[in-house]
């Protein structure tokens, strides 16, 4: 049984470990990555103890993110200036 149910909005993004975090009673942090969320994982685990929480989130928020990033990369590449050879 999960220690608690926590909304993703109540978690903090930790740039250093690239994960959403939430304080654990043991003093460490529950952690879950964007990749885990994209694959439908909803359990954030504490690396220091056996506790875990259930993360409540909309999976579509994370699935769409990877698709829009791919589109942006394609658009940015196609908009770069290309050399033109004049003969």
């Amino acid at each position: 049984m999960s220690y608690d149910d926590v909304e993703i909005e109540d978690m903090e993004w930790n740039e250093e470990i690239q994960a959403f975090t939430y304080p654990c009673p043991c003093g460490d942090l529950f952690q879950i990555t964007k990749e885990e969320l994209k694959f439908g994982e909803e359990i954030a685990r504490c690396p220091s103890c056996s506790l875990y929480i259930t993360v409540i989130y909309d999976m579509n928020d994370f699935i769409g993110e990877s698709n829009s990033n791919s589109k942006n990369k394609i658009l940015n590449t196609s908009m770069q200036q290309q050399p033109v050879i004049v003969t």
Side-chain angles (χ1 to χ4, degrees):
M1 188 162 118
S2 158
Y3 170 72
D4 199 1
D5 294 343
V6 178
E7 302 261 348
I8 191 78
E9 293 84 10
D10 295 331
M11 299 182 79
E12 288 188 26
W13 175 251
N14 184 314
E15 193 69 36
E16 184 177 322
I17 62 173
Q18 294 289 299
F20 287 96
T21 62
Y22 190 78
C24 180
C26 79
D28 205 344
L29 297 169
F30 295 106
Q31 304 172 12
I32 191 165
T33 66
K34 286 183 182 180
E35 284 296 314
E36 291 171 323
L37 293 167
K38 285 179 195 176
F39 289 118
E41 180 62 63
E42 58 183 24
I43 301 299
R45 301 182 187 286
C46 176
S48 297
C49 71
S50 62
L51 293 178
Y52 60 91
I53 57 173
T54 302
V55 180
I56 300 167
Y57 71 104
D58 183 354
M59 194 159 121
N60 293 325
D61 292 343
F62 294 91
I63 292 174
E65 184 175 293
S66 64
N67 291 339
S68 65
N69 284 343
S70 299
K71 288 178 189 174
N72 287 339
K73 287 179 185 174
I74 292 168
L75 287 175
N76 289 339
T77 303
S78 65
M79 296 175 92
Q80 292 176 351
Q81 291 184 346
Q82 300 295 322
V84 176
I85 301 173
V86 180
T87 56

